[in-house]
Amino acid sequence: MVESLVGNVPLLLLVVGLVLMVLEAISPGAHLIVIGIALVGAGLIGVLFPAPLSPIILAGLTLVIGLAAAYVYNRFDFYGGKGTARTTDSDSLSGATGYVTETVTNRSGEVKLEEGGFAPYYSARTTSGTIEEGEEVIVIDPGGGNVLTVESLDAIGEDEIDRALARDAQQDDREPTDGGDESTTDAEPETETERSS
């Protein structure tokens, strides 16, 4: 059997491609499907049209079919989740917002994060007080992703940036709107001779 596979390159490509596709089915996301499709495609063409195909032509077919399979694989995203935010590590949870699903204290609680990945529910703790169910929260410390430290968005209040933006908005409201140039120049201080005259 092995001798017949080695002697028949198209059949060998077909078998190896099918094995890779089975491995992809066992472990989705390993991206073996693209190589498997390329090998199966070239192998099938080689089996159906055996006489004129040399190993160089089979290699070229494998490359062309592989590029087409890679394009289709990336374009249509068969595994889903394309363009959706995914949690790559616990640091990416810092600053994420969500809401409390189970009252959060300094010893227990649960939150659901808006962009928390595949399983958006996390155990959560607060540094002080209690955050009731339904309140919006922000992740202060991701804690390795196992237990998040959160604070209520209402409790955080304004920070320095918010106060600076409010001051700028007030200054913009005070500026004249008539379009006239109301710039004033500082008058030079009077000299002693001007005062005496």
Side-chain angles (χ1 to χ4, degrees), residues 1-68:
M1 169 95 176
V2 174
E3 293 172 2
S4 65
L5 284 177
V6 173
N8 191 352
V9 175
L11 189 58
L12 179 66
L13 292 176
L14 185 62
V15 169
V16 171
L18 289 173
V19 168
L20 288 175
M21 292 174 78
V22 168
L23 289 174
E24 176 71 20
I26 293 171
S27 175
H31 308 296
L32 298 173
I33 191 77
V34 173
I35 300 168
I37 289 172
L39 294 175
V40 166
L44 280 175
I45 291 173
V47 168
L48 295 176
F49 306 103
L53 296 179
S54 70
I56 294 172
I57 295 173
L58 287 174
L61 280 172
T62 303
L63 181 64
V64 169
I65 294 170
L67 290 173

Side-chain angles (χ1 to χ4, degrees), residues 92-155:
S92 67
L93 295 174
S94 186
T97 57
Y99 62 92
V100 177
T101 57
E102 183 181 303
T103 302
V104 177
T105 65
N106 60 357
R107 293 184 173 213
S108 66
E110 183 182 74
V111 296
K112 180 180 182 184
L113 299 182
E114 292 171 1
E115 295 181 9
F118 179 70
Y121 293 92
Y122 293 88
S123 295
R125 307 293 182 265
T126 183
T127 55
S128 60
T130 301
I131 305 173
E132 296 299 324
E133 192 172 323
E135 283 190 53
E136 289 188 2
V137 293
I138 186 168
V139 177
I140 303 299
D141 180 15
N146 294 333
V147 179
L148 309 176
T149 302
V150 297
E151 287 297 326
S152 172
L153 284 176
D154 296 335

